[in-house]
Amino acid sequence: MQLTPTEAKARAARILAALQPTVTQWTTAVLDQAVLHLADTGRPFGMNDIRLIAPEDECRKAGLYFAALTGHDALHPNEPQLLRKVGEEPSINPKAHGKKVNVYLLTRAGRKFIKDRQAARTEQRRAA
């Protein structure tokens, strides 16, 4: 059975929502820090850049992390876009065999979202 584009998008959103809990707070903290660092260069960044600076365990879950930030506007249409896709490049991961990976820019709303999330983690540690 062929899904309509709307049905396919809804199915993808459900799958992402179900997988998102597999991204631990530790992975999110590592990737938040990496994304802010890469965004501070002013250049577009993507999975290849993450792969160069983040531990392998976190890299395996970075796709879900990026999907959550780029899909934020699709899942919550009244919220601002957090990551903006600006292109593609071949993956440097040998297992990907040159598959294309997305390249992004972090928006102001995305920077605020990550900074707020970092502040919430800090506050949670202080309260513990």
Side-chain angles (χ1 to χ4, degrees):
M1 178 169 103
Q2 186 86 4
L3 297 177
T4 68
T6 302
E7 291 169 333
K9 196 172 194 176
R11 181 173 183 256
R14 284 192 307 275
I15 291 169
L16 281 175
L19 290 173
Q20 191 57 36
T22 66
V23 179
T24 65
Q25 283 190 351
W26 173 258
T27 298
T28 300
V30 168
L31 295 175
D32 280 352
Q33 187 174 357
V35 164
L36 286 176
H37 168 74
L38 293 167
D40 285 345
T41 68
R43 296 181 310 113
F45 60 89
M47 190 58 213
N48 289 339
D49 302 295
I50 296 290
R51 187 165 290 289
L52 294 173
I53 62 174
E56 182 61 30
D57 287 345
E58 278 67 41
C59 286
R60 280 190 231 121
K61 295 184 180 155
L64 289 172
Y65 172 88
F66 280 128
L69 291 179
T70 57
H72 195 267
D73 61 330
L75 297 173
H76 306 91
N78 296 327
E79 298 292 326
Q81 187 177 24
L82 305 178
L83 274 181
R84 184 168 40 95
K85 180 182 169 186
V86 295
E88 295 178 333
E89 63 188 13
S91 174
I92 62 171
N93 181 357
K95 293 177 184 176
H97 305 289
K99 176 184 163 201
K100 299 281 186 193
V101 294
N102 294 333
V103 179
Y104 306 97
L105 286 173
L106 184 65
T107 65
R108 276 185 274 189
R111 180 176 296 278
K112 181 182 180 332
F113 178 83
I114 290 173
K115 292 278 193 182
D116 288 349
R117 188 159 60 184
Q118 286 179 322
R121 280 193 297 267
T122 300
E123 190 58 39
Q124 185 180 24
R125 282 193 307 272
R126 284 188 188 139

